[in-house]
């Protein structure tokens, strides 16, 4: 069992750290929020007084923070974790951040003789609590193999996507597909409503025809056809529109710097920005159907 440092004990990091404790690891944590610290302490995490204190003596340090600037802020500088770790320490960043910052974090770590992977997740807070997250991992093969057992204590599917930043690239490409496909499915339901076609009829045809996709068959944006989808509970998340907007913005940043044309990704970003500006950022992202109908 390993000595693991865990920085960022929020909605995702808190339950992930708790699963590491349950798996028998010794977990030292740090967060800026008193509520996050209280919950982690109750789950058996020992709290340190700085990121550097967490990193000193740890074999593995995991970060689960809001954005690239937070991750680089915690990694870099005299008080950062990179300066505090021993050579050979494994640094795992599971935050969803931009590819460029992920590559900078790798470079900082490897310059110090540490081993780094980016390992963003999908599965949300439910998956974090249940230990069923999917991890998309970027880094050297040897680093991936070292990270795999600890990631298995928090997730059920661990995919090696390539070198530094490849995990973040996979995450934002997947979520760009999801944002675009959800809007496509919502537009089809809105058109069906105007044409007098019932939700169930469209679902019965499209779910077994070429319009089939996850946004339709697992996460249907109208109540009825898929009883477990957020549409059946007034669009309570699920996956909040604000988080979808964050991921779409990261995809747009990456597409601009890589020179990849993503016109539908850009349109999806604008629509989720409108939904969030309308005060619906905390609503499930499938609630975009209400904006398309012109409701509220
Ligand atoms: P959160 O806001 O609940 O948690 C982030 C935590 O980081 C907070 O507790 C905050 O106090 C702490 N923090 C910020 N700056 C810090 C610093 N300098 N040092 C120590 N702690 C600091 O967010 P979350 O929902 O847990 O998301 C974390 C990451 O996971 C994000 O990158 C998010 O995009 C990603 N993610 C979230 C979900 C989800 O459903 N919530 C799903 C997949 C991925």
């Amino acid at each position: 069992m390993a000595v693991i440092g865990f920085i960022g004990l929020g909605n995702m990091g808190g339950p992930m750290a708790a699963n590491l404790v349950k798996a028998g690891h010794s977990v030292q944590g740090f967060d800026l929020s008193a509520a996050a610290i209280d919950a982690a302490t109750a789950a058996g995490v020992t709290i340190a007084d700085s990121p550097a204190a967490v990193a000193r003596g740890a074999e593995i340090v995991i970060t689960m923070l809001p954005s690239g600037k937070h991750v680089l802020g915690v990694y870099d500088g005299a008080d950062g974790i990179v300066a505090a770790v021993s050579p050979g320490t494994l640094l795992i960043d599971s935050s969803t951040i931009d590819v460029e910052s992920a590559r900078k974090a790798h470079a900082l770590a490897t310059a110090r003789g540490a081993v780094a992977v980016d390992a963003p997740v999908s599965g949300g807070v439910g998956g974090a609590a249940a230990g069923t997250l999917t991890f998309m991992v970027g880094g050297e093969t040897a680093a991936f193999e070292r990270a795999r057992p600890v990631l298995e204590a928090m997730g059920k599917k661990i995919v090696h996507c390539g070198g530094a930043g490849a995990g973040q690239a996979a995450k934002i490409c997947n979520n760009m597909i999801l944002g675009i496909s959800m809007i496509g499915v919502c537009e089809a339901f809105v058109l069906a409503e105007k044409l007098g076609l019932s939700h169930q009829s469209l679902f019965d045809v499209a779910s077994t025809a070429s319009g089939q996709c996850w946004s339709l068959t697992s996460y249907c944006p109208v109540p009825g056809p898929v009883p477990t989808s957020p549409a059946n509970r007034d669009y309570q998340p699920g996956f909040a529109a604000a988080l979808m907007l964050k991921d779409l913005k990261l995809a747009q940043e990456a597409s601009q710097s890589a020179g990849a044309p993503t016109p539908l990704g850009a349109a999806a970003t604008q629509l989720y920005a409108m939904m969030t500006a309308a005060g619906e950022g905390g609503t499930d992202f499938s609630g975009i159907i209400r904006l398309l109908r012109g409701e509220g």
Side-chain angles (χ1 to χ4, degrees):
M1 290 298 120
V3 177
I4 301 178
F6 207 115
I7 299 167
L9 300 163
N11 291 326
M12 295 293 291
M16 289 165 72
N19 280 330
L20 292 174
V21 173
K22 277 188 210 148
H25 297 291
S26 162
V27 184
Q28 281 234 75
F30 177 74
D31 198 290
L32 299 175
S33 141
I37 287 173
D38 288 348
T41 306
V45 175
T46 309
I47 301 300
D49 61 5
S50 70
V54 163
R56 252 176 248 120
E59 296 156 66
I60 300 168
V61 182
I62 302 174
T63 39
M64 193 54 171
L65 295 163
S67 72
K69 75 171 190 294
H70 298 94
V71 173
L72 291 176
V74 162
Y75 266 54
D76 207 1
D79 302 330
I81 59 173
V82 169
V85 294
S86 320
T89 304
L90 173 63
L91 303 185
I92 301 175
D93 179 39
S94 282
S95 326
T96 301
I97 66 171
D98 59 291
V99 175
E100 203 178 317
S101 296
R103 290 187 176 145
K104 275 189 197 152
H106 275 257
L108 285 168
T110 49
R112 163 82 186 165
V115 176
V117 294
D118 50 292
V121 301
S122 72
V125 289
T132 56
L133 294 169
T134 293
F135 286 88
M136 295 150 259
V137 186
E140 299 291 325
T141 302
F144 170 73
E145 290 304 339
R146 264 190 73 194
R148 190 207 293 266
V150 71
L151 299 180
E152 280 171 348
M154 301 180 285
K156 71 165 195 254
K157 188 165 183 201
I158 324 291
V159 185
H160 189 203
C161 300
Q168 298 295 349
K171 164 94 186 172
I172 58 175
C173 288
N174 177 72
N175 280 17
M176 188 177 77
I177 297 173
L178 178 62
I180 293 170
S181 71
M182 179 54 78
I183 293 167
V185 169
C186 289
E187 287 189 359
F189 275 110
V190 173
L191 177 59
E193 288 164 4
K194 294 282 185 199
L195 297 176
L197 179 65
S198 75
H199 290 160
Q200 193 64 48
S201 297
L202 174 59
F203 181 84
D204 289 345
V205 172
S207 63
T208 54
S210 46
Q212 190 277 333
C213 64
W214 187 90
S215 294
L216 177 69
T217 55
S218 294
Y219 219 76
C220 188
V222 294
V226 178
T228 51
S229 77
N232 297 283
R233 42 176 207 272
D234 200 25
Y235 301 97
Q236 289 309 299
F239 184 49
L243 288 174
M244 173 53 83
L245 178 61
K246 174 192 167 179
D247 293 354
L248 287 169
K249 282 181 171 169
L250 290 174
Q252 284 304 289
E253 263 176 50
S255 75
Q256 274 150 25
S257 63
T262 53
L264 290 182
T269 309
Q270 280 178 6
L271 286 167
Y272 278 105
M274 282 169 67
M275 182 172 170
T276 304
E280 296 291 329
T283 302
D284 187 79
F285 81 112
S286 60
I288 193 97
I289 194 166
R290 300 197 290 207
L291 183 134
L292 295 170
R293 286 193 193 111
E295 290 172 4

Coordinates of all heavy atoms in Angstrom, one line a residue, residues 7-13 30-33 36 51 64-67 70 74 94-96 121-122 124-125 171 239 243 246-247, ligand 1:
I7 N -4.4 16.5 -3.6 CA -4.6 18.0 -3.5 C -5.8 18.3 -4.4 O -5.9 18.0 -5.6 CB -3.4 18.7 -4.0 CG1 -2.2 18.4 -3.1 CG2 -3.6 20.2 -4.0 CD1 -0.9 18.8 -3.6
G8 N -6.9 18.9 -3.7 CA -8.1 19.2 -4.4 C -9.2 18.2 -4.0 O -9.3 17.2 -4.7
L9 N -9.8 18.4 -2.8 CA -10.7 17.4 -2.2 C -12.2 17.8 -2.4 O -13.0 17.7 -1.5 CB -10.3 17.2 -0.7 CG -8.9 16.7 -0.5 CD1 -8.5 17.0 1.0 CD2 -8.7 15.3 -0.8
G10 N -12.5 18.3 -3.6 CA -13.9 18.8 -3.8 C -14.9 17.7 -4.2 O -14.7 16.6 -3.7
N11 N -15.8 18.1 -5.0 CA -16.9 17.1 -5.4 C -16.4 15.8 -5.9 O -16.9 14.8 -5.7 CB -17.9 17.8 -6.4 CG -18.6 18.9 -5.8 OD1 -19.0 18.9 -4.6 ND2 -18.9 20.0 -6.5
M12 N -15.3 15.9 -6.7 CA -14.7 14.7 -7.3 C -13.6 14.2 -6.5 O -13.5 13.0 -6.1 CB -14.2 15.1 -8.7 CG -15.2 15.5 -9.7 SD -16.3 14.1 -10.2 CE -15.2 13.0 -11.1
G13 N -12.6 15.1 -6.1 CA -11.4 14.6 -5.4 C -11.8 14.0 -4.0 O -11.1 13.1 -3.6
F30 N -4.8 18.0 0.9 CA -4.8 19.4 1.1 C -5.9 20.1 0.2 O -6.1 19.6 -0.9 CB -3.5 20.1 0.7 CG -3.5 21.6 0.9 CD1 -3.4 22.2 2.1 CD2 -3.5 22.4 -0.3 CE1 -3.4 23.6 2.2 CE2 -3.5 23.8 -0.1 CZ -3.5 24.4 1.1
D31 N -6.6 21.0 0.8 CA -7.6 21.8 0.0 C -7.7 23.2 0.7 O -7.3 23.4 1.8 CB -9.0 21.1 0.0 CG -9.9 21.6 -1.1 OD1 -10.4 22.8 -1.0 OD2 -10.1 20.9 -2.0
L32 N -8.2 24.2 -0.1 CA -8.4 25.5 0.5 C -9.7 25.7 1.2 O -10.0 26.6 1.9 CB -8.3 26.5 -0.7 CG -7.0 26.6 -1.4 CD1 -7.1 27.6 -2.6 CD2 -5.9 27.0 -0.5
S33 N -10.7 24.7 0.9 CA -12.0 24.8 1.5 C -12.2 24.0 2.8 O -11.9 22.8 2.8 CB -13.0 24.4 0.4 OG -14.1 23.7 1.0
A36 N -14.5 21.0 2.4 CA -13.8 19.9 1.7 C -12.9 19.1 2.7 O -12.9 17.9 2.7 CB -13.0 20.4 0.5
P51 N 0.4 22.3 -0.1 CA 0.7 21.3 -1.1 C 2.1 20.6 -0.9 O 2.3 19.4 -1.1 CB 0.6 22.1 -2.4 CG -0.3 23.2 -2.1 CD 0.0 23.5 -0.6
M64 N -6.6 17.2 -8.2 CA -8.0 17.2 -8.8 C -8.5 18.6 -8.6 O -9.3 18.9 -7.7 CB -8.8 16.1 -8.1 CG -10.1 15.9 -8.8 SD -9.9 15.4 -10.5 CE -11.5 14.9 -11.0
L65 N -8.1 19.5 -9.5 CA -8.3 21.0 -9.3 C -9.1 21.5 -10.5 O -9.3 20.9 -11.5 CB -6.9 21.6 -9.2 CG -6.1 21.2 -8.0 CD1 -4.6 21.6 -8.2 CD2 -6.7 21.9 -6.7
P66 N -9.6 22.8 -10.3 CA -10.6 23.3 -11.3 C -10.0 23.5 -12.7 O -10.6 23.2 -13.7 CB -11.0 24.7 -10.7 CG -10.8 24.5 -9.3 CD -9.6 23.6 -9.1
S67 N -8.7 24.1 -12.8 CA -8.3 24.4 -14.2 C -6.7 24.4 -14.3 O -6.1 24.2 -13.2 CB -8.7 25.8 -14.5 OG -8.0 26.8 -13.8
H70 N -4.7 26.5 -11.8 CA -4.6 26.0 -10.5 C -3.6 24.8 -10.4 O -2.8 24.7 -9.5 CB -6.0 25.4 -10.0 CG -7.0 26.4 -10.0 ND1 -7.9 26.7 -11.0 CD2 -7.4 27.3 -9.0 CE1 -8.7 27.6 -10.7 NE2 -8.4 28.1 -9.5
V74 N 0.0 24.9 -8.3 CA 0.3 23.9 -7.2 C 1.6 23.2 -7.6 O 2.4 22.9 -6.7 CB -0.9 23.0 -7.0 CG1 -0.5 21.7 -6.3 CG2 -2.0 23.7 -6.3
S94 N -5.5 14.6 -12.4 CA -6.8 14.1 -12.9 C -7.8 15.2 -13.2 O -8.9 14.9 -13.6 CB -7.5 13.1 -11.9 OG -6.8 11.8 -12.0
S95 N -7.4 16.5 -13.0 CA -8.2 17.6 -13.3 C -8.5 17.6 -14.8 O -7.7 17.1 -15.6 CB -7.5 18.9 -13.0 OG -6.7 18.8 -11.8
T96 N -9.6 18.2 -15.3 CA -9.8 18.5 -16.7 C -9.2 19.8 -17.0 O -9.7 20.9 -16.5 CB -11.3 18.5 -17.1 OG1 -11.8 17.2 -16.7 CG2 -11.5 18.7 -18.5
V121 N -10.9 12.4 -16.0 CA -11.9 11.3 -15.8 C -13.2 11.6 -16.5 O -13.5 12.8 -16.7 CB -12.2 11.1 -14.3 CG1 -10.9 10.8 -13.6 CG2 -12.8 12.3 -13.7
S122 N -14.0 10.6 -16.7 CA -15.4 10.8 -17.0 C -16.2 9.9 -16.0 O -15.6 8.9 -15.5 CB -15.8 10.6 -18.4 OG -15.7 9.2 -18.7
G124 N -18.4 11.5 -13.6 CA -19.1 12.5 -12.7 C -19.0 12.1 -11.2 O -18.2 11.2 -10.8
V125 N -19.7 12.8 -10.4 CA -19.6 12.6 -8.9 C -20.1 11.2 -8.5 O -19.6 10.6 -7.6 CB -20.3 13.7 -8.1 CG1 -19.5 15.0 -8.2 CG2 -21.7 14.0 -8.6
K171 N -10.2 13.5 -23.6 CA -11.3 13.9 -22.8 C -12.1 15.0 -23.6 O -13.3 15.0 -23.7 CB -10.8 14.4 -21.5 CG -11.8 15.3 -20.7 CD -12.6 14.5 -19.7 CE -13.6 15.4 -19.1 NZ -14.6 14.8 -18.3
F239 N -24.9 16.0 -15.6 CA -23.7 16.7 -16.0 C -24.1 18.1 -16.3 O -24.8 18.4 -17.3 CB -23.1 16.0 -17.2 CG -21.8 16.6 -17.7 CD1 -20.7 16.8 -16.8 CD2 -21.6 16.9 -19.1 CE1 -19.5 17.4 -17.3 CE2 -20.4 17.4 -19.5 CZ -19.4 17.7 -18.6
L243 N -20.3 22.8 -16.8 CA -19.1 21.9 -17.0 C -19.0 21.5 -18.4 O -17.8 21.4 -19.0 CB -19.2 20.6 -16.1 CG -19.0 20.8 -14.6 CD1 -19.3 19.5 -13.8 CD2 -17.6 21.3 -14.3
K246 N -17.3 24.4 -20.0 CA -15.9 24.5 -19.7 C -15.1 23.5 -20.7 O -14.1 23.9 -21.3 CB -15.6 24.0 -18.3 CG -14.2 23.8 -18.0 CD -13.9 23.1 -16.6 CE -12.4 22.7 -16.6 NZ -12.0 22.0 -15.4
D247 N -15.6 22.3 -20.9 CA -14.9 21.3 -21.7 C -15.0 21.8 -23.2 O -14.0 21.6 -24.0 CB -15.6 20.0 -21.6 CG -15.3 19.4 -20.2 OD1 -14.6 20.0 -19.4 OD2 -15.8 18.3 -19.8
Ligands
LIG1 P1 -14.7 21.3 -7.1 O1 -14.8 22.8 -7.3 O2 -15.8 20.6 -6.3 O3 -13.3 20.9 -6.4 C1 -12.1 21.6 -6.7 C2 -11.4 21.7 -5.3 O4 -10.2 22.3 -5.5 C3 -12.2 22.7 -4.4 O5 -12.4 21.9 -3.2 C4 -11.2 23.8 -4.2 O6 -11.2 24.3 -2.9 C5 -9.9 23.1 -4.4 N1 -8.8 24.0 -4.8 C6 -8.8 25.0 -5.7 N2 -7.6 25.6 -5.7 C7 -6.8 24.9 -4.9 C8 -5.4 25.0 -4.5 N3 -4.6 26.0 -5.0 N4 -5.0 24.1 -3.6 C9 -5.8 23.2 -3.0 N5 -7.1 23.1 -3.3 C10 -7.6 23.9 -4.3 O7 -14.6 20.7 -8.6 P2 -14.9 19.2 -9.0 O8 -16.2 19.0 -9.5 O9 -14.3 18.3 -8.0 O10 -13.9 19.1 -10.3 C11 -12.5 18.9 -10.2 C12 -12.0 18.7 -11.6 O11 -12.6 17.5 -12.2 C13 -12.3 19.8 -12.6 O12 -11.2 20.0 -13.5 C14 -13.5 19.3 -13.4 O13 -13.6 19.8 -14.7 C15 -13.2 17.8 -13.4 N6 -14.4 17.0 -13.6 C16 -15.6 17.2 -12.9 C17 -16.7 16.4 -13.1 C18 -17.9 16.6 -12.3 O14 -18.9 16.0 -12.6 N7 -17.9 17.4 -11.2 C19 -16.6 15.3 -14.0 C20 -15.4 15.1 -14.7 C21 -14.3 15.9 -14.5

